[in-house]
Amino acid sequence: MTQAILAKAGRDEALTPAEIGSLLAIGDAAGLQDLYDCAYRVKARHVGRVVYFRGLIEASNICIKDCHYCGIRKSNHNVTRFQMDEGEILREALWAFEHEYGSVVIQAGERQDSAHINLIEQVLRRITAATAGGLGITLSLGEQTATTYRRWREAGAHRYLLRIETTNPQLYRSLHPPDHDFQTRVDCLAHLRNSGYQVGTGVMIGLPGQTLDDLVNDILFMQAMDVDMVGMGPYIPHHDTPLGRPLSPITPSHQLAALTLGLKMIAVTRIVLRDVNIAAATSLQTLSPTGREMGLRCGANVIMPNLTAAEFRCNYTLYDNKPCTHESAAACRECLARRIDRLGETIGFSQQGTPRHYLKRNEKR
Ligand code: SAH
């Protein structure tokens, strides 16, 4: 059964929802290996064996949202809040450029005030000017108006990552306060597409109450939205959040199950979406020291080394045991480069790594 589905995937034939569900349900070691190998071949064929680095700049942990799972939610008063200024964000982006990272991701808690919108716009203009437009810039700054998205795009941003978190509206409601709206998030993804961004979305994997059918629907949603990029990773509890409390100890078998489910989602998403960019999320590394490399072996082609200055980094704790919180940007770069080399993959240094999917859609126009 599994073999027949993987053979179809190998021929780039479309899979039915039931077939996608069967792949996500694989539990035996041999079946998993076949799935990962198949996804790796699809990746090699459609996007090549090249890994792109996106330097991650965690620009601020100030947030107006109150998501029940997130460690930097507004109501968590045990966080020391920080906000990088223009110069600090610019300095990290230029470090990335000089160290041949093709692109950066500017991520932060959500703010919609005009001071914030202006600051991001200014930073985008300064990075673009200082690198002559050579550095790819992804934003991950939450829900904004269509006008704001357009202003940031015009100021130099190329890509935007806005995770839908889960496509089950009922589960979405249970994870967020009543004023956080699923449809608004879907609308934001449409605004981003209309503003000319390379658009990315994704979900948390292994949320309490989430079923395999939900994950199948998540993959079908990403396909229906025709996204260019996927960023998704395992849900990891944070002790100061409603969803993470009371914290039950994570046993090694829980950890392995969460890691495996995360890897299966990457593999099946690669098989279904084929030519998009898929990030090996940092939360994979919380579950295993080499979790992100495993992600690359299962179909991911993007890694996001953390550039955030050490003084801020330990306060950007979305979940417990976030890895590398004490490592410098330089140490992250070297250790990742070594690990990727060992996998036999090349790093696309100084390349923006625009998703093939985006390039093809624009060729068709
Ligand atoms: N505020 C921005 C970006 C910061 S949060 C936004 O909303 O887009 C980035 C991502 O971290 C979220 O989209 C969420 O999927 C993830 N995240 C938050 N809490 C998490 C947790 N406890 N475990 C795993 N991922 C989490």
Side-chain angles (χ1 to χ4, degrees):
M1 169 77 168
T2 305
Q3 291 304 332
I5 303 172
L6 292 178
K8 263 180 94 174
R11 295 189 298 269
D12 286 344
E13 286 175 31
L15 302 186
T16 65
E19 288 170 334
I20 295 172
S22 315
L23 294 184
L24 288 176
I26 293 175
D28 64 299
L32 283 173
Q33 196 55 54
D34 290 343
L35 170 67
Y36 300 156
D37 289 348
C38 174
Y40 194 77
R41 284 193 298 271
V42 173
K43 158 178 151 175
R45 198 160 63 240
H46 287 278
V47 296
R49 296 176 64 194
V50 185
V51 183
Y52 299 104
F53 277 13
R54 313 265 182 255
L56 178 61
I57 303 171
E58 295 158 336
S60 165
N61 63 0
I62 299 171
C63 194
I64 59 169
K65 291 296 192 75
D66 220 7
C67 309
H68 297 335
Y69 44 84
C70 183
I72 63 168
R73 66 198 299 268
K74 170 176 77 173
S75 301
N76 183 6
H77 299 295
N78 296 327
V79 186
T80 309
R81 302 287 168 172
F82 72 90
Q83 170 72 57
M84 285 185 194
D85 63 23
E86 250 178 70
E88 283 161 336
I89 302 174
L90 178 67
R91 187 166 358 107
E92 294 191 355
L94 293 184
W95 188 94
F97 189 61
E98 282 152 18
H99 287 77
E100 302 177 309
Y101 287 25
S103 67
V104 288
V105 181
I106 302 175
Q107 188 179 91
E110 193 168 302
R111 281 180 59 182
Q112 298 169 341
D113 55 286
S114 57
H116 174 70
I117 295 168
N118 292 339
L119 174 125
I120 297 296
E121 187 175 39
Q122 272 309 107
V123 163
L124 289 167
R125 292 201 191 287
R126 288 177 68 181
I127 297 174
T128 305
T131 61
L135 187 67
I137 309 175
T138 306
L139 298 180
S140 178
L141 301 170
E143 294 167 22
Q144 305 289 341
T145 62
T147 311
T148 300
Y149 286 143
R150 214 166 312 115
R151 270 176 65 184
W152 288 346
R153 176 83 184 94
E154 280 161 14
H158 305 98
R159 315 180 168 129
Y160 206 104
L161 179 69
L162 181 73
R163 289 187 178 178
I164 193 71
E165 313 297 1
T166 171
T167 57
N168 175 337
Q170 208 181 328
L171 183 58
Y172 189 93
R173 268 196 299 280
S174 77
L175 297 172
H176 298 96
D179 63 343
H180 294 31
D181 181 36
F182 177 79
Q183 191 54 43
T184 304
R185 227 154 160 90
V186 176
D187 294 346
C188 282
L189 289 170
H191 294 321
L192 288 164
R193 166 60 47 73
N194 292 337
S195 307
Y197 284 91
Q198 299 161 38
V199 179
T201 194
V203 294
M204 284 179 288
I205 305 159
L207 288 161
Q210 191 180 42
T211 64
L212 274 195
D213 278 346
D214 290 333
L215 294 174
V216 172
N217 288 332
D218 292 342
I219 295 176
L220 295 174
F221 172 86
M222 294 191 273
Q223 186 178 40
M225 294 296 287
D226 198 22
V227 294
D228 306 301
M229 321 181 297
V230 175
M232 59 184 176
Y235 161 69
I236 314 238
H238 184 289
H239 63 280
D240 270 330
T241 60
L243 199 67
R245 234 176 0 223
L247 203 60
S248 44
I250 306 177
T251 62
S253 73
H254 271 122
Q255 211 157 323
L256 181 64
L259 176 67
T260 306
L261 190 58
L263 296 174
K264 283 198 282 189
M265 268 300 272
I266 289 179
V268 179
T269 302
R270 170 61 69 200
I271 286 172
V272 177
L273 301 192
R274 298 184 197 135
D275 58 359
V276 298
N277 280 350
I278 302 180
T282 310
S283 68
L284 286 172
Q285 206 187 344
T286 300
L287 300 170
S288 159
T290 56
R292 287 186 299 183
E293 292 79 345
M294 292 182 199
L296 296 177
R297 275 292 294 126
C298 296
N301 68 328
V302 167
I303 270 198
M304 293 160 55
N306 200 327
L307 300 182
T308 314
E311 60 185 299
F312 298 127
R313 210 187 277 203
C314 55
N315 291 316
Y316 199 83
T317 40
L318 304 174
Y319 45 83
D320 288 340
N321 304 316
K322 197 157 161 272
C324 272
T325 27
H326 299 292
E327 247 174 53
S328 71
C332 265
R333 181 189 193 271
E334 295 321 315
C335 103
L336 264 177
R338 254 195 323 276
R339 291 175 184 187
I340 288 165
D341 202 47
R342 258 184 260 138
L343 290 176
E345 301 237 311
T346 340
I347 301 171
F349 280 122
S350 296
Q351 296 174 44
Q352 292 196 6
T354 302
R356 291 264 173 97
H357 191 75
Y358 177 86
L359 295 172
K360 278 195 214 153
R361 179 173 346 93
N362 286 289
E363 271 166 21
K364 277 188 225 145
R365 285 234 190 109

